[in-house]
Amino acid sequence: MKGKNLLPVNIKIKVSTMKFQLNLVKSILAVVGVAAVSAVSAAPASAFSFGNIVGGDTPGDAYVNSFSFDVIDQGSSVLFNIINSGDAASPSMFIGKVLFDDNGYLSNAMANVGNVGDISFSGGAGNDQLPQGGNGFTTDYAFTRDNGGGNKWGVQAGKSLGVTFTGNYANVISALNSGALKLGLHVQALPNGASDSYISSSTSNTQDTPELLTILAAAAVGFGTIFKKQRTQAQKAE
């Protein structure tokens, strides 16, 4: 048998490199976009609660956990968001007055900043007495809902009042935790037409939002996961 001349055969394997690279770029851009938005919106913030006044009236004691406030760093100023989360057992209750026992940490007060709901408060520097205040509570700033009848303009369930001050965020948080800075609430329209007062707790837990480095670290992990997944898919397609 005569030997046959073997012809060289060139086989080209098309790798979907372009598709892999395009998908990878799209994924990276998506992660970068999320990280950028998070970095812009993640200003440091802390959450605080209120406590009942020892020896004071008791009609609102069961509802104390319905009220809280956040403090948000805005550079040279701080924003207080005073929140009424509501309670089914007392759906009509509302915050009618917010007072600050400051001791020199705050200045240049402004109410109705970023309110949630139909809320309108007036006030500023003042010495209004917190009902049942006690506990050495001395008012430096007072804000009262505008007149409107019933609970109109007050902080009703699911709503919040925003108040800003010039102040250093770190110093304000430290003062709130030590009790050197306190907030007082007067809540109205409790069951049977009663009212009650609360004072911010110096033992409140604080929760800081993620900082930029944490966000970037999470983005880096996301890049690695996406790259590995996209590369595996590309290899399977070869």
Side-chain angles (χ1 to χ4, degrees), residues 102-194:
D102 171 37
N103 290 312
Y105 294 94
L106 306 171
S107 62
N108 301 319
M110 181 181 297
N112 306 308
V113 178
N115 291 349
V116 175
D118 296 327
I119 295 171
S120 182
F121 275 63
S122 298
N127 57 2
D128 289 5
Q129 180 60 44
L130 175 67
Q132 313 163 53
N135 294 342
F137 191 98
T138 303
T139 302
D140 296 296
Y141 295 94
F143 302 91
T144 304
R145 73 179 178 105
D146 294 334
N147 292 326
N151 57 8
K152 186 175 178 62
W153 305 127
V155 184
Q156 303 174 49
K159 301 180 179 181
S160 65
L161 165 69
V163 182
T164 62
F165 296 89
T166 297
N168 178 276
Y169 174 77
N171 292 342
V172 167
I173 297 303
S174 178
L176 286 166
N177 282 325
S178 70
L181 170 58
K182 298 187 287 287
L183 273 67
L185 299 183
H186 185 221
V187 175
Q188 299 170 257
L190 292 166
N192 301 314

Side-chain angles (χ1 to χ4, degrees), residues 11 20 22 37 70 85 97 147 149 220:
I11 300 176
F20 162 67
L22 181 60
V37 171
D70 297 332
S85 60
K97 184 173 291 188
N147 292 326

Side-chain angles (χ1 to χ4, degrees), residues 192-206:
N192 301 314
S195 64
D196 207 344
S197 297
Y198 309 98
I199 295 178
S200 58
S201 173
S202 60
T203 58
S204 299
N205 294 323
T206 62

